[in-house]
Amino acid sequence: MAHRPRRNLYQLINRNRWATYLFIGLFSLILALIGYTLGHLFHWGIGTYALFALFIILYNTILYYNSDRLALAVNR
């Protein structure tokens, strides 16, 4: 049975950092698609897109800087 090579702490941190960026990017894309769909279906205009863009930027900023506290709060 072949063993996987062990990763050091810095490799694990780098992998988690890229996973976080991927998650934030995909979730932002989903929110942008929801905003676009709602704006298009209800004919709310360009203000809807700007509002969703502002929400996405604010949400990602709060999520990125408070993710450690959120993880600790969930796990007690």
Side-chain angles (χ1 to χ4, degrees):
M1 190 179 336
H3 294 285
R4 290 186 336 188
R6 293 186 63 149
R7 294 183 178 160
N8 64 27
L9 181 63
Y10 298 109
Q11 290 170 327
L12 294 172
I13 290 171
N14 192 37
R15 180 174 165 240
N16 286 339
R17 183 177 291 130
W18 281 106
T20 301
Y21 292 150
L22 179 65
F23 173 76
I24 289 173
L26 287 176
F27 196 70
S28 296
L29 181 63
I30 290 169
L31 287 176
L33 289 173
I34 290 171
Y36 175 77
T37 303
L38 288 175
H40 187 70
L41 286 176
F42 295 112
H43 304 288
W44 286 339
I46 195 81
T48 303
Y49 307 133
L51 183 65
F52 264 88
L54 182 64
F55 174 74
I56 290 169
I57 291 169
L58 183 65
Y59 177 81
N60 285 333
T61 303
I62 291 171
L63 179 69
Y64 185 77
Y65 287 111
N66 292 316
S67 60
D68 56 341
R69 289 182 221 146
L70 291 171
L72 289 173
V74 168
N75 292 312
R76 296 182 197 183

